[in-house]
Amino acid sequence: MLLAIDTSAGTSVAVVDRDAGILSELNESDTRRHAEVIGILIQAALRDAGVAVTDLSGVAVGMGPGPFTGLRVGIAAARAFAFGAGKPVVPVVSHDAVAFSRAVPTLVVTDARRREVYWSAYSGSDAEGLPIRAGGPGLTPPDSLADSVPDFADYERVDAAVVSAASLGLVAELLYLHHRPFAGGEALYLRSPDVTLSAGPKRVS
Amino acid sequence: MSGPEPLVLGIETSCDETGIGIVRGTKLLANVISSSMDEHARYGGVVPEVAARAHLEALVPALRAALAEADVALADLDAIAVTSGPGLSGALMVGVGAAKALALALDKPLYAVNHLVGHVGADVLRDDGSEIELPTIALLVSGGHTSLLLVRDLVSDVELLGETIDDAAGEAFDKVARLLGLPYPGGPHIDRVGIGGNPSAIRFPRGLSNPKDFEKHRYDFSFSGLKTAVARWVEQRGDAGDDIPIADVAASFREAVVDVLLTKAIAACVDLGVPRLLLGGGVVANARLRELAAERSKAAGVELRVPPLSLCTDNGAMIAALGAQLIMAGHAPSDLGFGADSTLPVTTIQA
Ligand SMILES: [Zn+2]
């Protein structure tokens, strides 16, 4: 049984179980309130599922891609919760949750802000029901998607405004069950930090 | 609670230090700080996004290290405290998200506290047995803030007397260091090249110190004009083909900063009849600041308190200490819905 958290779009928290399925899921679509709602949603997800912390076997977390400020809230919360509970973190690529249970070739597109989108291409699902990633995750202006995604025309495009923590948790359960590798431990920011490098002292007179 | 003295873990991520501290009441048990300062060096200042990314990576290792240092188990904790502001909002959010999740996983109460008041709270952790006497004036100086507070009660009555209206004092050190071709962070390098320099060689301006400023800005600070004055002075010397007396420039600049800081701080003590001054913030590392503070306080009959330097820079122990003070004063935990507030006023001691 997993607590699942994704903040790559809005804030989504769920409790899922390999056998019993989705026990609870709560979503807040506001993309500016991750820090405010994360605690309330975790508390409600556990309560609605009727699950104690000690019942959990781990914490699944969406590693993005996603706009960094919000994305980090979910990852920080997942890591801290897992540390407190003494359970492992199961990192998952957030787009996998959108592609989950879609058998047809799917292009997942999410908002990256600043007139760009994140994308991942999936050729379908494998025998275990896990999405098969064929390309991405990548970052591109919406107009350039067709050029950025190989075989763009072959995919059915899904523009996702929400990433479901329940789907993410189910992906994590399957990855675990079938001994598949999890996502890496690094947040998928896909963007370098904004920095204005010093151009040397400017004259003032 | 395990006893009258609550065991509190504090999380601080308001700027570029990931701080995890553990206290039992007023006793310091652990103070682990993981700084991303080196990553900011090539930019000449703190880059908020770089700081926030570093917090995310440093958090769990720092938690682990603090528990080991304090030799306590998570289950022993009575409460979690976290900085909810003021500070860099993306950086604050990492700590806020983590603190909420940790508190829920452990089923412990959570206290969201004010970073600036935390700096004052650090003083209760001194191990010399002396207790902080209130009311006190507090001068908090770092790369992120320059604030003058009147603290009547740590958990219920803190007033902002003044603050910088532009750059923080630490920022001024960084900017002047840069224009002198010195590395980041500026403070220690200005100190180094200023050795042997004459602090009264050049009379740089003291911001907001004219009688006409006093009406509106009696206790406020301004350092951007000072930075510009140093730049102009160096340029004019360079244009004239003269060598720059870097030791004199550094010493005179530093003198201008510490002079204005202490003139206003001591004025607040005298004006308000509060003969106590507490220093806090990373710039307390500056030896000249501490020296002049001792001199001026003595002359004015003001008792000076300077917590150990490891408790002056941003740290989680001061956040834990303030959390413990709130608990011992009977305050209820914070509601789980608080956010990161980059401009949290000092009057909001607990969010
Ligand atoms: Zn500070």
Side-chain angles (χ1 to χ4, degrees), chain B residues 211-260:
Chain B
K212 68 172 169 53
D213 297 320
F214 273 25
E215 225 168 285
K216 261 186 76 186
H217 295 295
R218 181 96 179 92
Y219 304 121
D220 287 330
F221 303 96
S222 166
F223 295 104
S224 77
L226 169 60
K227 175 204 66 193
T228 308
V230 176
R232 186 173 293 127
W233 196 93
V234 169
E235 274 167 23
Q236 282 165 358
R237 274 301 176 100
D239 289 351
D242 297 340
D243 283 345
I244 312 290
I246 196 161
D248 285 350
V249 174
S252 299
F253 159 72
R254 185 181 61 185
E255 197 65 12
V257 175
V258 300
D259 177 29
V260 75

Side-chain angles (χ1 to χ4, degrees), chain B residues 115 119 142 145 314:
Chain B
H115 174 85
H119 273 300
S142 76
H145 36 75
D314 290 349

Side-chain angles (χ1 to χ4, degrees), chain B residues 62-83:
Chain B
L63 281 168
R64 197 167 276 133
L67 290 162
E69 192 174 304
D71 195 21
V72 298
L74 281 170
D76 301 334
L77 296 173
D78 292 307
I80 312 287
V82 64
T83 303

Side-chain angles (χ1 to χ4, degrees), chain B residues 31-89:
Chain B
N31 186 15
V32 170
I33 296 167
S34 171
S35 175
S36 59
M37 183 188 285
D38 293 347
E39 294 176 56
H40 305 283
R42 66 194 179 110
Y43 307 116
V46 173
V47 180
E49 176 60 19
V50 171
R53 290 185 183 192
H55 286 310
L56 182 62
E57 300 318 315
L59 200 82
V60 170
L63 281 168
R64 197 167 276 133
L67 290 162
E69 192 174 304
D71 195 21
V72 298
L74 281 170
D76 301 334
L77 296 173
D78 292 307
I80 312 287
V82 64
T83 303
S84 66
L88 304 169
S89 77

Side-chain angles (χ1 to χ4, degrees), chain B:
Chain B
M1 210 173 291
S2 53
E5 302 263 274
L7 184 66
V8 183
L9 180 142
I11 299 176
E12 152 63 37
T13 64
S14 70
C15 192
D16 62 338
E17 330 267 12
T18 312
I20 306 289
I22 301 175
V23 307
R24 189 183 296 282
T26 59
K27 189 172 164 29
L28 176 67
L29 300 184
N31 186 15
V32 170
I33 296 167
S34 171
S35 175
S36 59
M37 183 188 285
D38 293 347
E39 294 176 56
H40 305 283
R42 66 194 179 110
Y43 307 116
V46 173
V47 180
E49 176 60 19
V50 171
R53 290 185 183 192
H55 286 310
L56 182 62
E57 300 318 315
L59 200 82
V60 170
L63 281 168
R64 197 167 276 133
L67 290 162
E69 192 174 304
D71 195 21
V72 298
L74 281 170
D76 301 334
L77 296 173
D78 292 307
I80 312 287
V82 64
T83 303
S84 66
L88 304 169
S89 77
L92 287 166
M93 280 186 214
V94 176
V96 168
K100 289 180 178 181
L102 183 62
L104 286 166
L106 298 171
D107 194 22
K108 306 286 184 189
L110 176 61
Y111 289 78
V113 309
N114 187 301
H115 174 85
L116 292 174
V117 183
H119 273 300
V120 182
D123 195 69
V124 306
L125 298 174
R126 289 160 60 128
D127 55 10
D128 60 6
S130 69
E131 242 174 77
I132 185 169
E133 230 185 297
L134 297 173
T136 185
I137 301 296
L139 173 66
L140 308 179
V141 199
S142 76
H145 36 75
T146 307
S147 311
L148 201 52
L149 314 183
L150 168 59
V151 183
R152 293 192 193 87
D153 187 304
L154 258 181
V155 296
S156 63
D157 192 354
V158 179
E159 187 185 323
L160 180 71
L161 298 174
E163 61 188 337
T164 182
I165 60 167
D166 40 57
D167 295 344
E171 223 177 333
F173 274 97
D174 294 339
K175 288 178 174 174
V176 167
R178 204 185 326 171
L179 70 90
L180 295 177
L182 302 170
Y184 172 86
H189 293 286
I190 297 265
D191 269 0
R192 178 173 55 81
V193 303
I195 292 172
N198 176 3
S200 38
I202 310 153
R203 175 75 192 178
F204 287 126
R206 272 61 169 163
L208 300 179
S209 295
N210 294 321
K212 68 172 169 53
D213 297 320
F214 273 25
E215 225 168 285
K216 261 186 76 186
H217 295 295
R218 181 96 179 92
Y219 304 121
D220 287 330
F221 303 96
S222 166
F223 295 104
S224 77
L226 169 60
K227 175 204 66 193
T228 308
V230 176
R232 186 173 293 127
W233 196 93
V234 169
E235 274 167 23
Q236 282 165 358
R237 274 301 176 100
D239 289 351
D242 297 340
D243 283 345
I244 312 290
I246 196 161
D248 285 350
V249 174
S252 299
F253 159 72
R254 185 181 61 185
E255 197 65 12
V257 175
V258 300
D259 177 29
V260 75
L261 286 172
L262 288 159
T263 300
K264 294 203 173 212
I266 296 291
C269 294
V270 173
D271 296 350
L272 301 168
V274 176
R276 282 171 291 273
L277 175 62
L278 174 77
L279 301 185
V283 176
V284 174
N286 190 291
R288 181 61 189 149
L289 176 71
R290 294 199 306 271
E291 189 181 283
L292 196 66
E295 236 171 69
R296 298 270 183 94
S297 299
K298 195 167 173 226
V302 166
E303 185 208 345
L304 178 68
R305 286 180 76 86
V306 188
L309 195 59
S310 59
L311 293 172
C312 280
T313 52
D314 290 349
N315 66 84
M318 69 187 197
I319 301 306
L322 181 54
Q325 292 289 316
L326 287 161
I327 293 167
M328 291 188 286
H331 288 234
S334 301
D335 283 338
L336 212 42
F338 68 86
D341 185 348
S342 60
T343 59
L344 188 71
V346 290
T347 43
T348 306
I349 298 165
Q350 181 190 356

Side-chain angles (χ1 to χ4, degrees), chain A residues 5 32-40 42-43 46 53 68-70 72-73 75-85 185-187 189-205, chain B residues 42-44 47-50 52-53 56-57 59-60 63-64 67 74 89-91 93-102 104-106 178-181 227-229 231-232 235-236 239 336-340:
Chain A
I5 299 173
R32 308 191 62 87
R33 286 176 43 81
H34 298 101
E36 283 88 339
V37 302
I38 188 73
I40 295 165
I42 292 173
Q43 190 177 47
L46 291 168
V53 174
F68 21 76
T69 307
R72 258 191 308 265
V73 172
I75 299 173
R79 287 180 179 172
F81 191 97
F83 180 71
E186 299 281 302
Y189 297 120
L190 305 193
R191 232 184 224 144
S192 298
D194 297 317
V195 284
T196 31
L197 274 163
S198 166
K202 286 192 253 356
R203 283 196 66 98
V204 294
S205 55
Chain B
R42 66 194 179 110
Y43 307 116
V47 180
E49 176 60 19
V50 171
R53 290 185 183 192
L56 182 62
E57 300 318 315
L59 200 82
V60 170
L63 281 168
R64 197 167 276 133
L67 290 162
L74 281 170
S89 77
M93 280 186 214
V94 176
V96 168
K100 289 180 178 181
L102 183 62
L104 286 166
L106 298 171
R178 204 185 326 171
L179 70 90
L180 295 177
K227 175 204 66 193
T228 308
R232 186 173 293 127
E235 274 167 23
Q236 282 165 358
D239 289 351
L336 212 42
F338 68 86

